[in-house]
Amino acid sequence: MVKDMEVHFDMTVRHKVVFECLCAPHAQDFLLAIPIDGLGQHMSPVEYHTILKYRLMIPLFPVDEICPVCRKACLDSFGEHAVHCKELSCFKTTALKASSCKVTKHEKACIENQHVFIPFAFDTFGFLAPKAVELLNRVQRVMHSKVMTHRSMNIIFRRISSAIQKGLAAQLVARLPSTTM
């Protein structure tokens, strides 16, 4: 399918990378998560609309606007600055290449305390690092052994995916012009 798209559509390198991430296992799990208002696990209509536009690569911002939060960098139309702006520290992702750096950074303290450090790396389009998937599968198996229902099979992945997308949506919405909300 991707080869056909490359032939029939003019895809940028960014489009190809995002499309590949969106096709990864568990990248779309947030769409199946049932919102739980009492636990703060829901998105407002504006957040949901914004995260869908972000993931579908639909421009969110006019080009070259100053970021209303850090007042330094220019917002790009797709929201990449909004996702990585240093001024909002409430939600940050760890790039896959930084995964090994995190292990090295925390390895000594973990060994001294008889712990194992497992970095939980993901990208903003929902791709989970193999170690993160392995960890979540272990949690999922334990949960499934305690709660024997078919519905519990993917709840961990759905909840994590939903939390990631909710955090991203909050960062994007914080920078939307008031006329688009």
Side-chain angles (χ1 to χ4, degrees):
M1 185 164 111
V2 173
K3 289 180 183 177
D4 288 343
M5 286 187 73
E6 290 178 30
V7 171
H8 301 295
F9 297 101
D10 185 23
M11 293 177 65
T12 65
V13 172
R14 180 182 186 280
H15 286 112
K16 290 176 186 175
V17 170
V18 169
F19 187 74
E20 193 172 310
C21 289
L22 292 173
C23 292
H26 307 293
Q28 308 299 333
D29 284 355
F30 81 101
L31 294 169
L32 300 172
I34 297 170
I36 303 173
D37 290 338
L39 297 176
Q41 297 177 342
H42 71 284
M43 285 189 235
S44 71
V46 172
E47 289 172 323
Y48 199 75
H49 178 89
T50 301
I51 202 63
L52 289 178
K53 284 179 76 172
Y54 175 72
R55 292 173 63 90
L56 293 171
M57 297 174 279
I58 298 170
L60 294 165
F61 305 100
V63 179
D64 295 335
E65 278 198 8
I66 299 296
C67 174
V69 176
C70 72
R71 303 238 183 255
K72 297 174 189 168
C74 290
L75 289 170
D76 58 292
S77 62
F78 294 105
E80 295 303 323
H81 169 77
V83 171
H84 302 291
C85 181
K86 292 179 170 72
E87 294 299 318
L88 279 183
S89 60
C90 61
F91 185 83
K92 292 292 174 204
T93 60
T94 304
L96 292 176
K97 63 185 175 186
S99 179
S100 61
C101 296
K102 294 285 185 183
V103 171
T104 303
K105 179 180 175 181
H106 299 288
E107 188 173 41
K108 183 180 176 190
C110 288
I111 290 171
E112 289 172 358
N113 292 302
Q114 298 178 346
H115 291 94
V116 175
F117 179 76
I118 302 172
F120 191 87
F122 58 89
D123 74 15
T124 57
F125 290 99
F127 174 82
L128 296 169
K131 291 276 187 186
V133 172
E134 184 181 316
L135 173 65
L136 292 175
N137 276 326
R138 285 176 38 204
V139 170
Q140 190 76 42
R141 281 191 300 274
V142 170
M143 184 178 157
H144 186 63
S145 71
K146 304 292 182 201
V147 182
M148 296 290 203
T149 68
H150 177 67
R151 290 183 186 185
S152 68
M153 285 307 295
N154 287 318
I155 192 140
I156 298 297
F157 286 101
R158 289 176 186 170
R159 286 280 151 234
I160 294 293
S161 180
S162 180
I164 292 167
Q165 297 309 308
K166 180 178 172 38
L168 291 170
Q171 285 188 242
L172 292 165
V173 169
R175 289 166 174 79
L176 286 176
S178 58
T179 57
T180 60
M181 296 181 10

